[in-house]
Amino acid sequence: MGSPFKDHHRHHPSLAKKLIPWTFYAMIPLVLFRVYFYPFALHHTTTPILSSSSFVSPPPSLLEEETSCDFTSGKWVPDKRGPLYNGSTCGTIKEGQNCIAHGRPDRGYLYWRWKPKQCKLPRFEPNTFLQLLRNKHLAFVGDSMARNQLESLLCMLSSVSAPNLVYRDGGENKFRRWHFGSHNFSISVYWSPFLVKGVEKSNTGPNHNQLYLDHVDERWAADMNGIDMVVLSIGHWFLHPAVYYEGEQVLGCHYCPGLNHTEIGFYDVLRKAIKTTLKALIDRKRANGNGIGAFVTTFSPAHFEGDWDKFGACPKTKPYREGEKTLEGMDAEMRQIEVEEVEAAKMNSIQLDRFRLEALDVTKLSLMRADGHPGPYMHPFPFANGVTERVQNDCVHWCLPGPIDTWNEILLEVIKKWEYESRREE
Ligand SMILES: *[C@@H]1O[C@H](CO)[C@@H](O)[C@H](O)[C@H]1NC(C)=O
Ligand SMILES: *[C@@H]1O[C@H](CO)[C@@H](O)[C@H](O)[C@H]1NC(C)=O
Ligand SMILES: *[C@@H]1O[C@H](CO)[C@@H](O)[C@H](O)[C@H]1NC(C)=O
């Protein structure tokens, strides 16, 4: 079978350049994605949701003046204190990311903290977070990275207050909600790997995803009125084979040999998906008048150094040093698109009261943490019978506890800054 991109390479050098990163991912058999992202068909029943509440201010002592800080550039420095939680603190860590429970022997990866260049990133303060979000509802929406980040946050919050699981959908834990009675704070996770309407490939249906780029996914968007803050996190699912629709017509496809559609890659598709999503958020908030804070978590780099099913696929045990690893290629492109779309949406929402939007720009700091993935410990005790020739590795998601906890430290700092600004405006 010839390259599906061959003609494009000849006629459109710029398109060819855009498509090249995909060939890197072609090394990873698609079966792996089944292991990681479990794309099962899904039947979600929406439940009634708590309506949003009036804002209750936290005590002023929580909020010192925040000067704005660029959290994106910096370095990882040793930190003796270690994580706020362990694998049994919260009971919600997905098995494949509970690395210590699965026998990961080294612990060094737990003792680092992110040091931005011009400022300090404080250690996560669960009480502050809960007080700032008292009577509010925060939702994580996206793919398994959204869930990974949610579980990190949930575990850190659980170290001071116990959440109750108040809703879960029957199937794969893809839609869940917890309530912290101590602060009447709700936190949810919504599975929506494209944010826009999509049909995930399945064993019974077509062997590719179908994306409807001009329709937001109502499985989460229908609940937006009852949500005060949302963290959107997508990316990796856009690498899969897919057919794209816009205006009820086929726009093109990504890796669909055998189908008579034009290969268009996935970068512009990601851009359109985010554009549609942020526009829907803005339009709906404009229509019903209640505010929202929205974050887009930027692309989370994977760290495969060889075959995904060979020993040592992501063997590092220490972060990269400053300057040792540059952000480039697909990681850079995906991040760039997300950051640009957030900036564009900010301009579109400028007159909108109580609408706040920020990119949670974690790509670079995550790129430096090749040591933070489960690797073979995605499965329990993978070497119990010695090292075998084949062993599956997860070099995409993050161990919990692990570097992803830092994402939520930054999340809290931005929320604190928003809160400080809105008090100054009063
Ligand atoms: C986990 O942390 C709890 C306290 O939050 C502690 O009681 C428990 O011993 C720890 N478990 C392990 C395995 O370290
Ligand atoms: C709890 O929070 C919800 C919003 O998440 C709000 O509608 C409700 O009024 C709050 N309850 C109390 C007792 O404040
Ligand atoms: C493929 O699509 C083109 C343009 O839409 C059409 O002209 C052509 O007949 C199609 N080929 C096949 C084999 O369906």
Side-chain angles (χ1 to χ4, degrees), residues 86-89:
N86 63 37
S88 44
T89 313

Side-chain angles (χ1 to χ4, degrees), residues 53-128:
S53 63
S54 61
F55 189 83
V56 178
S57 300
S61 60
L62 287 176
L63 301 162
E64 291 137 41
E65 174 146 19
E66 304 274 329
T67 49
S68 65
C69 169
D70 172 14
F71 294 110
T72 58
S73 58
K75 60 182 174 185
W76 290 96
V77 297
D79 181 6
K80 282 206 264 320
R81 288 172 302 181
L84 280 176
Y85 63 94
N86 63 37
S88 44
T89 313
C90 44
T92 53
I93 298 177
K94 184 174 158 55
E95 289 255 314
Q97 283 131 37
N98 202 343
C99 299
I100 295 171
H102 277 186
R104 178 169 172 168
D106 62 308
R107 295 282 192 281
Y109 70 100
L110 298 172
Y111 297 91
W112 297 91
R113 130 184 103 76
W114 179 245
K115 172 70 186 72
K117 267 208 180 77
Q118 305 110 340
C119 53
K120 214 178 137 222
L121 176 61
R123 189 170 163 85
F124 189 83
E125 304 147 18
N127 282 313
T128 305

Side-chain angles (χ1 to χ4, degrees), residues 232-276:
L232 307 167
S233 182
I234 53 168
H236 289 269
W237 273 73
F238 286 76
L239 314 180
H240 300 214
V243 174
Y244 308 122
Y245 298 84
E246 194 174 48
E248 314 309 324
Q249 288 188 340
V250 175
L251 181 71
C253 78
H254 172 55
Y255 197 67
C256 63
L259 298 180
N260 189 12
H261 302 315
T262 311
E263 168 67 47
I264 59 170
F266 51 78
Y267 290 139
D268 288 343
V269 169
L270 175 70
R271 187 183 292 284
K272 279 175 194 280
I274 295 176
K275 205 184 275 297
T276 298

Side-chain angles (χ1 to χ4, degrees), residues 38-40 42 169 172-176 189-191 200:
Y38 45 121
F40 301 125
L42 199 133
D169 100 312
E172 293 299 317
N173 274 347
K174 286 181 169 172
F175 298 86
R176 285 178 289 171
V189 62
Y190 290 80
W191 176 257
E200 292 152 35

Side-chain angles (χ1 to χ4, degrees), residues 51-239:
S51 65
S52 87
S53 63
S54 61
F55 189 83
V56 178
S57 300
S61 60
L62 287 176
L63 301 162
E64 291 137 41
E65 174 146 19
E66 304 274 329
T67 49
S68 65
C69 169
D70 172 14
F71 294 110
T72 58
S73 58
K75 60 182 174 185
W76 290 96
V77 297
D79 181 6
K80 282 206 264 320
R81 288 172 302 181
L84 280 176
Y85 63 94
N86 63 37
S88 44
T89 313
C90 44
T92 53
I93 298 177
K94 184 174 158 55
E95 289 255 314
Q97 283 131 37
N98 202 343
C99 299
I100 295 171
H102 277 186
R104 178 169 172 168
D106 62 308
R107 295 282 192 281
Y109 70 100
L110 298 172
Y111 297 91
W112 297 91
R113 130 184 103 76
W114 179 245
K115 172 70 186 72
K117 267 208 180 77
Q118 305 110 340
C119 53
K120 214 178 137 222
L121 176 61
R123 189 170 163 85
F124 189 83
E125 304 147 18
N127 282 313
T128 305
F129 192 96
L130 286 170
Q131 289 176 46
L132 285 166
L133 282 121
R134 186 183 290 279
N135 295 325
K136 294 201 179 280
H137 182 188
L138 165 67
F140 284 77
V141 182
D143 59 18
S144 51
M145 282 301 163
R147 183 193 55 218
N148 206 174
Q149 186 181 353
L150 160 105
E151 290 188 348
S152 153
L153 179 59
L154 204 58
C155 289
M156 292 197 288
L157 297 177
S158 298
S159 68
V160 300
S161 179
N164 290 315
L165 183 64
V166 292
Y167 171 74
R168 67 189 284 182
D169 100 312
E172 293 299 317
N173 274 347
K174 286 181 169 172
F175 298 86
R176 285 178 289 171
R177 182 168 309 138
W178 293 263
H179 183 248
F180 286 82
S182 61
H183 295 77
N184 186 31
F185 164 59
S186 297
I187 183 167
S188 309
V189 62
Y190 290 80
W191 176 257
S192 181
F194 313 112
L195 296 179
V196 291
K197 186 177 152 193
V199 181
E200 292 152 35
K201 72 184 162 75
S202 66
N203 294 333
T204 50
N207 196 24
H208 57 259
N209 299 317
Q210 291 162 276
L211 276 67
Y212 298 84
L213 298 172
D214 47 359
H215 295 283
V216 72
D217 180 1
E218 292 296 338
R219 289 182 302 180
W220 63 272
D223 285 357
M224 269 303 113
N225 278 350
I227 291 172
D228 304 286
M229 202 171 279
V230 63
V231 178
L232 307 167
S233 182
I234 53 168
H236 289 269
W237 273 73
F238 286 76
L239 314 180

